[in-house]
Amino acid sequence: MAAEASEARAVLDEFTREGQLSPSSLERAEWGTWDRVAPGWVLLLSLKSLVLFRWEEGRTGPDLLPDVPAGMSRTEADNLIEMLRGSLPAAAVARTTGGLTLERVLSLLVCVIAAEAMTHQEVDTLLELAVAMNEEALQAADLSRPLYRGTDVGPWDVSETDWEAMGLLDLGGLKVPRTEVTKVDLNSLDSDTEVLAAVVLFRGTTANLQLQAFPTSSGEPGWGTICDRLEANLRARGAEVERWSERVGVELRAVVPVVSETRGRDRMTVRYIGCDGPGWVLRGVIGGAPALPDSRDDWAYDCFQGVVVDPAFVVPSVAPV
């Protein structure tokens, strides 16, 4: 077992046994150290892994966390759970209220381990996995960006992979996955500076993903800046917007007022995702089932991470059959 996992195990065992930590264990945990692998961070990531595992199994609310540890309210516990699932507003609440403490993380971790009836070996495996997650997060440098973009995961630049061997649809500037794609719409959108390549992928009538890729140069706004501007524009239009940290990085989840010919005034739920690449930014807008609150539908995310971007941005006039 890695040294950091062993240290985290010792801290966890003491808290499980005593219900509190000695000064030496508090020092051993190195809580608040985020620039290297540390036992406290390993414990936090262990809790995050278990929360996501239970959520992906379909558990929510009291089913996700049946018992609230002593000294915590249900509201406080639920806010930390939402933070671990990726809610940036919940993270802000935890930060400003001082709700994210080592003792609370350990209290929740002990509760979830008991609820899962985990064995000693299973807990050891969990801690080892958390160490690997800690190392990956450090290598990514920016925790809001997907790990290893361009190597293990996409979106990729055309120079980074053999897109033809991946069986992608060639849409010129964008090579996109075929998985469950039943229809492709091609168009171009004007911006203040240049024409943007844009396609919309459909999965029947249940989901859609609009993709826009446009070139950037050194010093130009990346996805982070674009995300800020987009959020401001959405709020100006009366939309409800929340930031989440998801598998492709920071995203916006919005409920946007719209006017429909059939329904009149209505509201549409969408998610905005994006990623910086070498000389380009890829933006996605998710609609349909994958955009709904608490959706576990990963089709749009899988498509987005399967895209290959060609900076030439040559858009065909007709979608391939």
Short mmCIF file of all heavy atoms in Angstrom, two decimals, residues 149 154-158 160 213-217 275-282 307-311 313:
data_model
loop_
_atom_site.label_atom_id
_atom_site.label_comp_id
_atom_site.label_asym_id
_atom_site.label_seq_id
_atom_site.Cartn_x
_atom_site.Cartn_y
_atom_site.Cartn_z
N ARG A 149 -6.50 15.15 -21.33
CA ARG A 149 -7.11 15.45 -22.61
C ARG A 149 -6.04 15.38 -23.69
O ARG A 149 -4.95 15.92 -23.55
CB ARG A 149 -7.73 16.85 -22.60
CG ARG A 149 -8.61 17.10 -23.85
CD ARG A 149 -8.37 18.45 -24.48
NE ARG A 149 -7.02 18.70 -24.90
CZ ARG A 149 -6.47 18.23 -26.02
NH1 ARG A 149 -7.14 17.44 -26.83
NH2 ARG A 149 -5.22 18.53 -26.31
N GLY A 154 -10.60 12.42 -24.96
CA GLY A 154 -10.76 13.55 -25.85
C GLY A 154 -11.55 14.65 -25.17
O GLY A 154 -11.82 14.56 -23.97
N PRO A 155 -11.90 15.66 -25.95
CA PRO A 155 -11.71 15.79 -27.39
C PRO A 155 -10.23 15.86 -27.78
O PRO A 155 -9.42 16.38 -27.02
CB PRO A 155 -12.42 17.11 -27.74
CG PRO A 155 -13.22 17.48 -26.52
CD PRO A 155 -12.58 16.83 -25.36
N TRP A 156 -9.95 15.34 -28.97
CA TRP A 156 -8.58 15.33 -29.46
C TRP A 156 -8.38 16.34 -30.59
O TRP A 156 -9.32 16.70 -31.30
CB TRP A 156 -8.22 13.95 -30.01
CG TRP A 156 -8.10 12.87 -28.99
CD1 TRP A 156 -7.01 12.58 -28.23
CD2 TRP A 156 -9.08 11.89 -28.65
NE1 TRP A 156 -7.25 11.50 -27.42
CE2 TRP A 156 -8.52 11.05 -27.65
CE3 TRP A 156 -10.38 11.64 -29.08
CZ2 TRP A 156 -9.21 9.98 -27.08
CZ3 TRP A 156 -11.08 10.60 -28.51
CH2 TRP A 156 -10.50 9.78 -27.53
N ASP A 157 -7.14 16.74 -30.77
CA ASP A 157 -6.74 17.45 -31.97
C ASP A 157 -6.44 16.40 -33.04
O ASP A 157 -6.04 15.27 -32.72
CB ASP A 157 -5.50 18.31 -31.69
CG ASP A 157 -5.14 19.19 -32.88
OD1 ASP A 157 -5.80 20.22 -33.08
OD2 ASP A 157 -4.20 18.83 -33.61
N VAL A 158 -6.59 16.79 -34.30
CA VAL A 158 -6.36 15.85 -35.39
C VAL A 158 -4.93 15.33 -35.38
O VAL A 158 -4.65 14.23 -35.89
CB VAL A 158 -6.72 16.51 -36.75
CG1 VAL A 158 -5.69 17.58 -37.11
CG2 VAL A 158 -6.86 15.48 -37.85
N GLU A 160 -3.31 14.43 -32.76
CA GLU A 160 -3.08 13.62 -31.57
C GLU A 160 -3.56 12.18 -31.70
O GLU A 160 -3.27 11.35 -30.84
CB GLU A 160 -3.77 14.26 -30.36
CG GLU A 160 -3.20 15.62 -29.99
CD GLU A 160 -4.05 16.36 -28.96
OE1 GLU A 160 -5.27 16.12 -28.92
OE2 GLU A 160 -3.48 17.17 -28.22
N ALA A 213 -16.85 24.42 -32.87
CA ALA A 213 -15.40 24.48 -32.71
C ALA A 213 -14.89 25.73 -33.39
O ALA A 213 -15.30 26.05 -34.51
CB ALA A 213 -14.75 23.24 -33.31
N PHE A 214 -14.01 26.43 -32.74
CA PHE A 214 -13.47 27.64 -33.33
C PHE A 214 -12.02 27.82 -32.88
O PHE A 214 -11.64 27.41 -31.78
CB PHE A 214 -14.32 28.87 -32.98
CG PHE A 214 -14.69 28.99 -31.52
CD1 PHE A 214 -13.98 29.80 -30.68
CD2 PHE A 214 -15.79 28.30 -31.02
CE1 PHE A 214 -14.33 29.92 -29.34
CE2 PHE A 214 -16.16 28.42 -29.69
CZ PHE A 214 -15.42 29.24 -28.85
N PRO A 215 -11.20 28.43 -33.73
CA PRO A 215 -9.77 28.55 -33.43
C PRO A 215 -9.49 29.65 -32.41
O PRO A 215 -10.21 30.63 -32.30
CB PRO A 215 -9.17 28.89 -34.79
CG PRO A 215 -10.27 29.59 -35.51
CD PRO A 215 -11.55 28.95 -35.06
N THR A 216 -8.42 29.45 -31.66
CA THR A 216 -7.93 30.46 -30.74
C THR A 216 -6.43 30.57 -30.91
O THR A 216 -5.77 29.68 -31.44
CB THR A 216 -8.22 30.10 -29.28
OG1 THR A 216 -7.58 28.85 -28.97
CG2 THR A 216 -9.71 29.96 -29.03
N SER A 217 -5.88 31.66 -30.48
CA SER A 217 -4.44 31.84 -30.48
C SER A 217 -4.01 32.24 -29.08
O SER A 217 -4.85 32.53 -28.21
CB SER A 217 -4.03 32.92 -31.49
OG SER A 217 -4.66 34.15 -31.20
N CYS A 275 -14.17 22.69 -23.82
CA CYS A 275 -12.82 22.19 -23.59
C CYS A 275 -11.83 22.96 -24.46
O CYS A 275 -12.10 23.24 -25.63
CB CYS A 275 -12.75 20.69 -23.93
SG CYS A 275 -11.16 19.93 -23.55
N ASP A 276 -10.69 23.30 -23.88
CA ASP A 276 -9.61 23.94 -24.63
C ASP A 276 -8.71 22.89 -25.24
O ASP A 276 -8.35 21.90 -24.59
CB ASP A 276 -8.76 24.82 -23.69
CG ASP A 276 -9.54 25.98 -23.11
OD1 ASP A 276 -10.25 26.64 -23.89
OD2 ASP A 276 -9.44 26.22 -21.90
N GLY A 277 -8.35 23.09 -26.50
CA GLY A 277 -7.39 22.23 -27.18
C GLY A 277 -6.24 23.06 -27.72
O GLY A 277 -6.20 24.28 -27.51
N PRO A 278 -5.31 22.45 -28.42
CA PRO A 278 -4.18 23.19 -28.97
C PRO A 278 -4.61 24.08 -30.15
O PRO A 278 -4.75 23.61 -31.27
CB PRO A 278 -3.23 22.08 -29.44
CG PRO A 278 -4.10 20.88 -29.65
CD PRO A 278 -5.21 21.01 -28.65
N GLY A 279 -4.89 25.35 -29.84
CA GLY A 279 -5.29 26.27 -30.89
C GLY A 279 -6.78 26.31 -31.18
O GLY A 279 -7.19 26.90 -32.17
N TRP A 280 -7.59 25.71 -30.33
CA TRP A 280 -9.03 25.70 -30.55
C TRP A 280 -9.79 25.54 -29.24
O TRP A 280 -9.24 25.13 -28.21
CB TRP A 280 -9.45 24.61 -31.52
CG TRP A 280 -8.90 23.23 -31.25
CD1 TRP A 280 -7.81 22.66 -31.86
CD2 TRP A 280 -9.38 22.25 -30.32
NE1 TRP A 280 -7.60 21.39 -31.37
CE2 TRP A 280 -8.55 21.11 -30.43
CE3 TRP A 280 -10.43 22.22 -29.41
CZ2 TRP A 280 -8.72 19.96 -29.66
CZ3 TRP A 280 -10.62 21.08 -28.64
CH2 TRP A 280 -9.78 19.97 -28.77
N VAL A 281 -11.06 25.88 -29.29
CA VAL A 281 -11.99 25.62 -28.19
C VAL A 281 -13.18 24.87 -28.78
O VAL A 281 -13.68 25.23 -29.85
CB VAL A 281 -12.49 26.91 -27.52
CG1 VAL A 281 -13.58 26.61 -26.51
CG2 VAL A 281 -11.35 27.63 -26.83
N LEU A 282 -13.60 23.81 -28.11
CA LEU A 282 -14.79 23.07 -28.52
C LEU A 282 -15.87 23.31 -27.48
O LEU A 282 -15.64 23.12 -26.28
CB LEU A 282 -14.49 21.57 -28.63
CG LEU A 282 -15.68 20.69 -29.07
CD1 LEU A 282 -16.08 21.01 -30.51
CD2 LEU A 282 -15.32 19.21 -28.93
N VAL A 307 -14.88 13.40 -29.88
CA VAL A 307 -14.70 14.27 -31.04
C VAL A 307 -13.22 14.49 -31.32
O VAL A 307 -12.38 14.60 -30.41
CB VAL A 307 -15.39 15.63 -30.79
CG1 VAL A 307 -15.01 16.65 -31.87
CG2 VAL A 307 -16.90 15.45 -30.75
N VAL A 308 -12.89 14.57 -32.62
CA VAL A 308 -11.55 14.98 -33.07
C VAL A 308 -11.71 16.29 -33.83
O VAL A 308 -12.55 16.40 -34.72
CB VAL A 308 -10.90 13.92 -33.98
CG1 VAL A 308 -9.57 14.43 -34.55
CG2 VAL A 308 -10.68 12.62 -33.20
N VAL A 309 -10.93 17.29 -33.44
CA VAL A 309 -11.02 18.63 -34.03
C VAL A 309 -9.90 18.83 -35.03
O VAL A 309 -8.73 18.59 -34.73
CB VAL A 309 -10.95 19.72 -32.95
CG1 VAL A 309 -11.05 21.12 -33.58
CG2 VAL A 309 -12.05 19.52 -31.91
N ASP A 310 -10.27 19.25 -36.25
CA ASP A 310 -9.29 19.60 -37.29
C ASP A 310 -9.31 21.12 -37.42
O ASP A 310 -10.30 21.70 -37.87
CB ASP A 310 -9.70 18.94 -38.61
CG ASP A 310 -8.67 19.18 -39.71
OD1 ASP A 310 -7.81 20.08 -39.54
OD2 ASP A 310 -8.73 18.48 -40.73
N PRO A 311 -8.24 21.80 -37.04
CA PRO A 311 -8.23 23.26 -37.05
C PRO A 311 -8.48 23.88 -38.42
O PRO A 311 -8.69 25.09 -38.52
CB PRO A 311 -6.83 23.62 -36.54
CG PRO A 311 -6.42 22.45 -35.72
CD PRO A 311 -7.00 21.26 -36.44
N PHE A 313 -11.13 23.42 -40.10
CA PHE A 313 -12.54 23.78 -40.01
C PHE A 313 -13.22 23.88 -41.37
O PHE A 313 -13.87 24.87 -41.70
CB PHE A 313 -12.73 25.11 -39.26
CG PHE A 313 -12.30 25.01 -37.84
CD1 PHE A 313 -11.21 25.71 -37.39
CD2 PHE A 313 -12.97 24.20 -36.95
CE1 PHE A 313 -10.78 25.62 -36.09
CE2 PHE A 313 -12.57 24.08 -35.63
CZ PHE A 313 -11.46 24.80 -35.20
#
